[in-house]
Amino acid sequence: MIRSALMTVMTAAAIKAGRGLKRDFGEVENLQVSMKGPGDFVSAADRKAEKTLFEELSKARPGYGFVMEESGVVEGSDKSHRWIVDPLDGTTNFLHAIPVFAISIGLERDGQIVAGLIYNPATEDMYVAEKGQGAWNNDRRLRVSARRDMAMALIGCGVPHLGKAAGHPRFKAELAAVMARAQNLRRMGAASLDMAYVAAGRLDAYWERGINNWDMAAGAILVREAGGFVTDADGGPDYLDAGTVCCGCEPIHKELLAILRVAK
Ligand code: IPD
């Protein structure tokens, strides 16, 4: 585990917001079978968690700015630091009562992610990383997988939903190309956890197009601190702004980028 003052602040905020999400998740399981469905309830749960994170992090580090999925950008007086927060990554899973969702918090210092936390309150899995201090899942130090052979690799991906139909043709081409080379694929439904699983060596690599910086800020430092590589899906360094990501252990990340490059 990382026992820094910063990580204490981040974990305390996540645990507090996570308590609410866990309670609300239990309620969603009941609402599944109602006519109205849990839609509005889930949006409220999402906003409530974001409010808790905003209040707790602001209290502990006054002046830091924020980028949040629901409330957008809040400028801080401290121009060096900003929190990048997704209070509920994996909203669709949460809505369908699938316990694969997480709070994701990244801390950016002078344009660089220096700390990340991903917390699934349903399983109480806490993933943390801080620059130079490694990546951890609860008390276990994380390393990316040692696999080198794409034919043995398990690759994570994101599937563009109906509202992102413009991305479907490219995704289908990329899916076909990866299917032809990798052992198999997984679509977990929460980008932050996909990246935490890469850091933990469960997935050998992961890519997705059309995602936001709050989905990947924390995951990126986890993968890096676990010895992996992170780029955008075209191999470039500016993944946080590019809206695409590709990460993995070095050999599989490299080969996945090569496959994506020629997928038509
Ligand atoms: C989504 C999840 C999903 C990914 C989408 C994201 P949200 O985040 O991470 O796995 O495929 O691109 O938007 O909306 O649940 O916070």
Side-chain angles (χ1 to χ4, degrees), residues 21 23 94 106 112 122 151 193 217 239 250 254:
L21 278 183
R23 233 182 356 251
F94 190 94
Q112 240 197 48
L193 288 172
Y239 51 91
E250 188 185 7
K254 193 169 163 206

Side-chain angles (χ1 to χ4, degrees), residues 69 86 88-92 158-159 164 187 189-191 208 210-211 215:
E69 180 175 18
D86 189 345
L88 176 53
D89 183 37
T91 317
T92 306
V159 181
K164 291 184 182 167
R187 196 298 192 246
E208 181 161 356
I211 63 171
D215 297 314

Side-chain angles (χ1 to χ4, degrees), residues 19-242:
R19 222 174 279 136
L21 278 183
K22 192 171 180 174
R23 233 182 356 251
D24 291 339
F25 184 68
E27 191 56 30
V28 167
E29 288 176 310
N30 299 329
L31 288 170
Q32 278 319 311
V33 290
S34 76
M35 282 299 281
K36 190 163 166 275
D40 292 347
F41 182 81
V42 171
S43 317
D46 200 343
R47 284 195 306 272
K48 220 164 46 189
E50 188 167 282
K51 184 165 177 282
T52 304
L53 292 169
F54 179 72
E55 285 170 359
E56 293 301 307
L57 295 172
S58 310
K59 210 174 358 167
R61 292 290 185 273
Y64 284 19
F66 281 82
V67 182
M68 294 175 283
E69 180 175 18
E70 306 305 321
S71 324
V73 174
V74 176
E75 294 290 343
S77 53
D78 176 339
K79 300 297 173 201
S80 290
H81 292 93
R82 60 175 194 171
W83 301 107
I84 304 180
V85 175
D86 189 345
L88 176 53
D89 183 37
T91 317
T92 306
N93 282 344
F94 190 94
L95 185 71
H96 288 259
I98 298 169
V100 182
F101 59 89
I103 289 168
S104 174
I105 307 172
L107 177 64
E108 199 178 59
R109 179 178 301 139
D110 300 324
Q112 240 197 48
I113 306 294
V114 292
L117 173 151
I118 295 166
Y119 176 52
N120 180 350
T123 60
E124 293 184 8
D125 265 312
M126 178 75 78
Y127 300 89
V128 296
E130 213 176 313
K131 198 156 186 261
Q133 302 211 46
W136 300 79
N137 174 200
N138 301 332
D139 289 333
R140 194 167 65 89
R141 179 108 193 218
L142 300 180
R143 287 293 303 168
V144 292
S145 96
R147 248 170 237 113
R148 311 187 65 80
D149 181 1
M150 185 55 100
M152 301 295 287
L154 188 61
I155 308 294
C157 64
V159 181
H161 59 68
L162 188 56
K164 291 184 182 167
H168 288 181
R170 185 173 201 176
F171 175 70
K172 284 194 262 184
E174 292 186 340
L175 178 64
V178 177
M179 270 167 74
R181 300 278 293 281
Q183 203 244 334
N184 211 331
L185 290 103
R186 291 289 180 273
R187 196 298 192 246
M188 313 301 303
S192 59
L193 288 172
D194 283 304
M195 296 179 82
Y197 287 6
V198 169
R202 298 172 188 152
L203 293 172
D204 300 292
Y206 155 77
W207 95 99
E208 181 161 356
R209 293 185 191 274
I211 63 171
N212 297 291
N213 55 6
W214 52 76
D215 297 314
M216 52 171 148
I221 185 158
L222 265 142
V223 172
R224 288 239 161 92
E225 285 293 320
F229 282 65
V230 188
T231 59
D232 68 29
D234 301 304
D238 298 324
Y239 51 91
L240 283 179
D241 299 321

